[in-house]
Amino acid sequence: SCKKLDIADGTPPCIKSKIRSFEKEASCSGAQVDEYEFQSETVYVFSPGSCGADMAAAVLDSKCNSKGQLGGFVGNTKVDGQEFSSAKFIKTVWKK
């Protein structure tokens, strides 16, 4: 079906495309995509939600290049060698 997703204005086209795929794959409630400023660039964190403690969140730049993963089985907190806690939250761009 042609269900319209509520994706924030100004979201790059490739991120919108990834969100459309992610929406179909994300089976957990609470799945969302957040925008941050990290290492002087805009990045997007694809959080799978709360139905699995060891699920990782993908971190992509605005051109959909992978910057790394957060969480997961090992509880990773770094992206590109830097603690992601230094990232500045901008907004939630999509929520399931």
Side-chain angles (χ1 to χ4, degrees), residues 7-16 19 35 42 44 62 91 93:
I7 301 172
D9 289 342
T11 303
C14 80
I15 295 294
K16 285 184 180 181
I19 290 172
E35 180 180 317
T42 301
Y44 297 86
S62 60
K91 64 186 174 191
V93 296

Side-chain angles (χ1 to χ4, degrees), residues 3-4 40 70:
K3 185 173 104 176
K4 179 163 173 36
S40 300
L70 292 170

Side-chain angles (χ1 to χ4, degrees), residues 29-50:
S29 62
Q32 67 185 54
V33 179
D34 293 324
E35 180 180 317
Y36 289 85
E37 184 179 312
F38 182 67
Q39 296 179 335
S40 300
E41 69 178 322
T42 301
V43 298
Y44 297 86
V45 178
F46 285 69
S47 301
S50 58

Side-chain angles (χ1 to χ4, degrees), residues 26-32 47-55:
S27 58
C28 301
S29 62
Q32 67 185 54
S47 301
S50 58
C51 64
D54 61 352
M55 297 171 70

Side-chain angles (χ1 to χ4, degrees), residues 1-2 5-6 9 15 17 25 29 34-35 37 40 45 51-52 56 60 64 68 73 81 83-86 89-90 96:
S1 74
C2 292
L5 297 178
D6 187 20
D9 289 342
I15 295 294
S17 177
E25 299 162 8
S29 62
D34 293 324
E35 180 180 317
E37 184 179 312
S40 300
V45 178
C51 64
L60 305 176
C64 288
F73 185 71
E83 285 292 333
F84 196 74
S85 60
S86 66
F89 176 78
I90 306 296
K96 187 163 187 143

